[in-house]
Amino acid sequence: MTQSFSQNYQHIIFSTKDRNKWIDESWADDLYGYIGGILGRIGCKMLRAGGTSDHIHLLSIIDKNRTIPDVIRTIKSSSTTWVRNNIKNRKNFAWQTGYAAFSLGKSQIPRAERYIKNQRNHHKKNDYKDELRKFLDKYGLNYDEKYLWK
């Protein structure tokens, strides 16, 4: 084969540092749009973004030449700078160090899009910690609770 092909759908979740409620609904869509632009510039594609005041979900296609840690590092670094420079009273904005990324098959995309789209309603009943534990358990990932929230 003379070409390389890849279809890497990722559901990525990460929080603001210390889960501070820094993301306001009034500018969240601008943040998601900016992140979509970041992804586009590095050859990836954002399919859906959503979240609440303390975390975000991204449904993305990751380019075959990129690693997930590099993509997330680029998103966090660039979006942190954007928030600090463009949003009033957010000079100390930061993302948490870690992240969760789950690979999806194409048939799972519509359900993931709905889930991400409805984050604000979902979190009226469920907090971020419970949501993340649920994902980690669903995907069979081992974790130590004492390191999960730092």
Side-chain angles (χ1 to χ4, degrees):
M1 187 178 296
T2 60
Q3 291 181 302
S4 299
F5 298 95
S6 172
Q7 190 174 57
N8 185 0
Y9 295 104
Q10 292 290 317
H11 180 173
I12 299 166
I13 307 167
F14 53 86
S15 173
T16 56
K17 186 171 183 173
D18 299 321
R19 286 163 318 288
N20 289 315
K21 297 187 181 305
W22 277 342
I23 303 170
D24 189 84
E25 260 184 278
S26 66
W27 54 268
D29 286 341
D30 293 334
L31 173 63
Y32 305 147
Y34 186 79
I35 291 172
I38 294 167
L39 287 164
R41 285 190 297 280
I42 61 173
C44 301
K45 183 177 181 183
M46 185 164 68
L47 302 176
R48 173 68 69 180
T52 65
S53 61
D54 67 351
H55 75 282
I56 66 171
H57 291 252
L58 305 171
L59 180 59
S60 305
I61 300 173
I62 306 300
D63 181 82
K64 68 181 180 280
N65 297 310
R66 302 284 179 179
T67 66
I68 294 167
D70 288 340
V71 168
I72 294 171
R73 186 174 21 261
T74 300
I75 291 168
K76 286 181 176 183
S77 174
S78 294
S79 64
T80 295
T81 300
W82 180 85
V83 170
R84 289 177 178 178
N85 290 336
N86 293 285
I87 306 300
K88 189 176 181 180
N89 300 319
R90 293 297 185 265
K91 298 295 180 202
N92 295 321
F93 180 89
W95 296 112
Q96 73 178 56
T97 303
Y99 64 88
F102 306 101
S103 60
L104 302 175
K106 188 170 185 168
S107 66
Q108 296 171 293
I109 299 306
R111 183 175 182 195
E113 286 181 313
R114 285 190 303 274
Y115 183 82
I116 293 170
K117 181 180 177 182
N118 292 314
Q119 277 296 290
R120 295 221 179 258
N121 287 332
H122 172 76
H123 284 288
K124 289 178 182 176
K125 301 175 197 164
N126 305 294
D127 74 357
Y128 171 69
K129 288 183 176 185
D130 290 337
E131 177 185 50
L132 186 58
R133 282 187 207 101
K134 178 182 160 189
F135 272 104
L136 295 172
D137 292 341
K138 175 182 174 180
Y139 284 91
L141 296 169
N142 295 323
Y143 57 92
D144 186 333
E145 188 81 24
K146 70 181 178 183
Y147 299 113
L148 204 53
W149 312 117
K150 294 197 179 245

